[in-house]
């Protein structure tokens, strides 16, 4: 009897009549399974849909794009995006669908909505909030659920998160195009972990802190509230002279508290030196505004200890980041290697750049200290030249970005290079010799594949287990990936259109 009752309820949940007399919260709670069921009925080939969907979810998690409450993609968002592509190409294979996925969304004209079903109007007697393009014009990345009532499943997407996801779509499209051109080789490049912790010159650790003696229920409420509001914090930072603000939607242990419910999220950004001028960045003021506007309504409980909840920000640089954040990319040594390669590329570009014309030309400096040069506030870096040694092949370079590529693009390419390899590198000198070794023509850049084998300049800095997990100790019996060129589709492009004007006040470093 119990099984028959539950079976009837599970079947009835997909019928529109079950929504009668339900409040808005209940309607939204059942919209998830209803939308998932509807998508399974709308896609032409469900097996191909599942294959592509699994790939997209892995890609989103690896690239730091998975987390609906942070303004990125969630499970239902991935379902709608993949289902839309499957409807456009009903007879395509999974590999073709995956390529089309990135090609379509890398050039999609947002906020044009993604719809896999027609929008059904309210039935007689219903007064649900139906999504409308005229009324919901402020939505950044509308993905409309196919079930009744139609809702935007990507309501939390902001300008910052849309910019980041669009760049990742572009990167995925370029990698997929290259994979197809090479006959289906090198699929692992698409799923390389994000290089977030080596791409930016500055980081902000956002600690969600709960005291040890606070009740578990209250600690869970505080953590859930902060997680749901973290996507708004980058908006408060936009008043500062900074650019390329990026919230990374992955939870890390907090260094400020050892409570189980304490955690930390990181925001990366670069300084906009043109807008900054002689001012200093006051992040503490933004933190206070965020607290007063978003967190002040969190009601205290008489049983709560004093000062049991807190939200603290901590400015960091690459050298001061905790080791835990580098685990996904092979450890701090791998991250340091990527930074050094970017510095070397920036140095060569500075040396090879033509002299600035006379007049009030913008000066090129390296204020961030991370090897990237700043021209008018935008981070730029130099292309790494491919120079073959005696009998070497100059076509297989370690990193070959185009002129004007940003430091982030070089770092992302280098990360893909380091983690997509399967050949064992010969032992040799230390990492520092990478920037000092001279090639045959004396330019200071080598990095043809055959030249690297002959120069023997890199030791096995990273070892990978059979399951892909990184090991902290050097194991020369492990195989390290082959260094291959790669592109990332403009990850380093600068975008200042979302920055607010800098207030004409003097910034004091309060923290």
């Amino acid at each position: 009897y119990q099984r028959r009752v539950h079976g009837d309820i599970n079947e009835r949940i997909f019928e529109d009549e079950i929504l009668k007399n339900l409040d808005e919260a209940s309607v939204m709670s059942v919209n998830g399974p209803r939308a998932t069921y509807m998508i399974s009925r709308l896609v032409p080939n469900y097996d191909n849909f599942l294959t592509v969907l699994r790939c997209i979810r892995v890609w989103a998690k690896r690239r730091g794009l998975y987390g609906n409450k942070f303004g990125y993609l969630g499970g239902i968002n991935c379902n709608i995006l993949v289902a839309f592509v499957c409807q456009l190409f009903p007879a395509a294979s999974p590999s073709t669908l995956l390529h089309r996925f990135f090609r379509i969304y890398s050039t999609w004209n947002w906020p044009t909505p993604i719809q896999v079903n027609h929008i059904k109007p309210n039935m007689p007697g219903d007064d649900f909030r139906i999504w409308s393009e005229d009324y919901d014009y402020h939505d950044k990345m509308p993905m409309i659920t196919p079930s009744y009532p139609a809702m935007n499943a990507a309501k939390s997407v902001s300008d910052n998160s849309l910019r980041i996801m669009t760049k990742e779509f572009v990167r995925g499209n370029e990698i997929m195009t290259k994979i197809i051109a090479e006959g289906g080789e090198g699929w692992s490049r698409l799923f390389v972990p994000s290089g977030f912790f080596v791409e930016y010159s500055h980081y902000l650790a956002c600690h969600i802190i709960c005291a040890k003696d606070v009740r578990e229920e209250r600690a869970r409420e505080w953590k859930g509230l902060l997680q749901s509001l973290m996507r708004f914090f980058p908006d408060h930072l936009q008043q500062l002279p900074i650019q390329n603000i990026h919230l990374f939607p992955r939870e890390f242990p907090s260094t400020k508290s050892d409570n189980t419910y304490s955690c930390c999220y990181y925001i990366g950004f670069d300084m906009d030196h043109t807008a900054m001028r002689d001012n200093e960045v006051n992040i503490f003021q933004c933190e206070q505004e965020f607290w007063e506007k978003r967190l002040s309504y969190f009601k205290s409980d008489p049983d709560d200890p004093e000062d049991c909840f807190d939200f603290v920000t901590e400015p960091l640089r690459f050298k001061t980041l905790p080791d835990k954040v580098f685990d996904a990319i092979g450890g701090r040594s791998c991250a340091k290697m990527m930074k050094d390669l970017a510095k070397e590329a920036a140095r060569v570009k500075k040396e090879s750049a033509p002299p600035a014309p006379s007049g009030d030309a913008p000066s090129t400096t390296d204020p961030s200290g991370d090897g990237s040069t700043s021209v008018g506030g935008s981070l730029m870096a130099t292309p790494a030249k491919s120079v073959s040694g005696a009998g070497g092949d100059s076509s297989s370079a370690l990193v070959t970005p185009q002129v004007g590529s940003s430091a982030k693009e070089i770092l992302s390419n280098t990360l893909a290079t380091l983690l997509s390899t399967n050949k064992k590198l010969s032992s040799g000198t230390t990492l520092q010799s990478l920037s000092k070794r001279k090639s045959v023509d004396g330019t200071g850049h080598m990095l043809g594949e055959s030249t690297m084998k002959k120069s023997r300049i890199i030791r096995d800095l990273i070892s990978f287990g059979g399951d892909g997990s990184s090991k902290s100790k050097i194991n020369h019996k492990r195989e390290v990936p082959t260094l291959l060129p790669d592109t990332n589709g403009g990850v380093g492009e600068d975008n200042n259109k979302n920055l607010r004007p800098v207030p004409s006040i003097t910034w004091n470093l309060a923290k």
Side-chain angles (χ1 to χ4, degrees):
Y1 171 77
Q2 186 177 9
R3 182 181 305 172
R4 185 173 67 253
V5 170
H6 285 291
D8 294 341
I9 293 176
N10 290 337
E11 292 178 0
R12 288 183 58 202
I13 198 174
F14 305 124
E15 300 175 359
D16 294 342
E17 287 74 16
I18 201 175
L19 302 177
K20 291 289 185 180
N21 301 322
L22 291 183
D23 58 6
E24 183 179 357
S26 300
V27 171
M28 293 182 65
S29 67
V30 300
N31 194 37
R34 285 167 54 83
T36 303
Y37 172 76
M38 185 67 71
I39 289 175
S40 67
R41 302 282 300 273
L42 293 171
V43 293
N45 189 318
Y46 190 65
D47 291 335
N48 288 351
F49 165 77
L50 286 181
T51 301
V52 179
L53 177 61
R54 289 164 183 159
C55 292
I56 293 302
R57 294 186 70 170
V58 172
W59 166 80
K61 292 178 180 179
R62 293 282 183 88
R63 300 302 300 172
L65 301 177
Y66 199 82
N68 187 279
K69 59 186 174 183
F70 298 103
Y72 297 101
L73 301 177
I76 186 62
N77 305 123
C78 295
N79 288 6
I80 295 174
L81 292 177
V82 175
F84 182 74
V85 176
C86 290
Q87 288 181 338
L88 292 179
F89 307 97
S93 64
S95 59
T96 302
L97 290 173
L98 191 61
H99 187 197
R100 299 294 182 183
F101 177 92
F102 290 106
R103 175 177 292 183
I104 290 173
Y105 296 121
S106 63
T107 58
W108 191 261
N109 184 26
W110 302 106
T112 304
I114 299 294
Q115 294 180 231
V116 296
N117 196 14
H118 68 277
I119 296 179
K120 183 178 179 180
N122 269 317
M123 297 190 301
D126 290 344
D127 190 23
F128 295 127
R129 172 74 171 80
I130 306 292
W131 187 89
S132 170
E133 191 169 0
D134 296 331
Y135 185 81
D136 298 289
Y137 58 89
H138 54 277
D139 289 350
K140 308 298 181 182
M141 195 178 188
M143 305 176 196
I144 312 306
T145 57
S147 56
Y148 171 80
M151 305 177 184
N152 179 13
K155 197 77 173 179
S156 60
V157 174
S158 64
D159 289 324
N160 276 319
S161 57
L162 176 59
R163 170 179 55 84
I164 294 165
M165 285 188 285
T166 300
K167 288 184 178 181
E168 287 294 332
F169 286 139
V170 172
R171 171 191 175 272
N173 179 45
E174 295 194 358
I175 291 178
M176 284 300 304
T177 302
K178 192 171 184 179
I179 290 173
I180 299 300
E182 294 175 354
E185 296 293 334
W187 284 92
S188 60
R189 286 174 290 181
L190 182 64
F191 306 102
V192 165
S194 172
F196 170 81
F197 289 103
V198 294
E199 290 182 358
Y200 296 95
S201 57
H202 296 266
Y203 294 89
L204 190 64
C206 303
H207 298 274
I208 302 175
I209 299 177
C210 302
K212 287 184 178 181
D213 51 351
V214 70
R215 289 186 294 116
E216 180 178 347
E217 180 182 357
R218 294 287 292 167
R220 189 163 50 243
E221 290 178 2
W222 175 250
K223 180 179 179 179
L225 174 66
L226 261 297
Q227 288 178 331
S228 65
L229 297 176
M230 273 299 299
R231 69 179 186 270
F232 297 110
F233 191 49
D235 296 336
H236 292 269
L237 298 176
Q238 286 185 349
Q239 60 183 295
L240 301 177
I242 61 178
Q243 58 187 356
N244 304 326
I245 305 173
H246 184 176
L247 169 62
F248 196 61
R250 188 174 299 168
E251 180 181 322
F252 293 92
S254 174
T255 58
K256 302 292 185 181
S257 172
D258 54 0
N259 186 291
T260 306
Y261 291 95
S262 297
C263 61
C264 181
Y265 291 92
Y266 289 88
I267 296 177
F269 61 91
D270 296 318
M271 302 303 300
D272 188 350
H273 297 278
T274 302
M276 185 176 179
R277 299 181 182 91
D278 297 329
N279 300 322
E280 293 183 349
V281 177
N282 187 356
I283 296 177
F284 178 71
Q285 179 179 344
C286 299
E287 179 185 329
Q288 290 297 109
E289 292 178 358
F290 176 69
W291 182 279
E292 294 173 1
K293 186 176 181 179
R294 307 286 181 179
L295 306 177
S296 58
Y297 62 86
F298 183 74
K299 297 181 180 179
S300 59
D301 192 289
D303 298 332
D304 291 341
E306 186 177 358
D307 298 331
C308 57
F309 303 115
D310 203 357
F311 175 72
V312 179
T313 58
E314 179 186 10
L316 298 172
R317 299 295 293 271
F318 173 78
K319 293 182 180 179
T320 56
L321 287 170
D323 294 337
K324 186 71 175 178
V325 303
F326 299 113
D327 288 349
I329 58 176
R332 186 179 289 274
S333 58
C334 178
K336 180 64 166 60
M337 182 177 184
M338 295 165 60
K339 277 286 189 182
D340 289 346
L341 288 173
K343 287 182 180 180
E344 179 68 9
R347 182 190 63 82
V348 172
K349 178 179 181 179
K350 185 177 180 180
E351 293 178 354
S352 59
S358 58
D360 298 333
S363 60
T364 301
T365 59
D366 183 14
S368 63
D370 63 348
S372 59
T373 59
S374 175
V375 182
S378 300
L379 291 178
M380 306 293 287
T382 314
K385 297 180 180 179
S386 173
V387 182
S388 62
D393 181 14
S394 62
S395 62
S396 57
L398 175 63
V399 181
T400 56
Q402 301 298 320
V403 175
S405 299
S406 68
K408 296 184 187 62
E409 186 173 354
I410 298 175
L411 292 173
S412 183
N413 292 342
T414 307
L415 176 58
T417 294
L418 291 172
L419 298 182
S420 64
T421 176
N422 55 14
K423 272 188 190 174
K424 184 176 181 180
L425 298 178
S426 56
S427 60
T429 59
T430 60
L431 176 64
Q432 283 72 17
S433 62
L434 180 63
S435 60
K436 298 179 181 178
R437 180 81 60 173
K438 299 295 182 181
S439 58
V440 174
D441 63 354
T443 61
H445 265 275
M446 40 204 159
L447 294 177
E449 186 175 351
S450 59
T451 305
M452 290 191 62
K453 292 179 180 179
K454 294 180 181 181
S455 301
R456 301 165 63 92
I457 59 167
I458 299 180
R459 194 168 183 172
D460 293 338
L461 296 177
I462 312 165
S463 59
F464 288 84
D467 58 351
S469 59
S470 59
K471 308 295 182 182
S472 58
K473 296 182 180 180
I474 294 178
N475 186 347
H476 296 285
K477 295 182 181 179
R478 300 288 186 185
E479 291 192 352
V480 182
T482 307
L483 300 176
L484 297 173
D486 194 9
T487 61
N488 75 333
V491 168
E493 295 176 0
D494 293 312
N495 187 346
N496 298 329
K497 64 180 181 180
N498 298 322
L499 294 180
R500 302 175 183 175
V502 181
S504 57
I505 61 176
T506 302
W507 299 95
N508 297 318
L509 196 61
K511 274 195 175 182

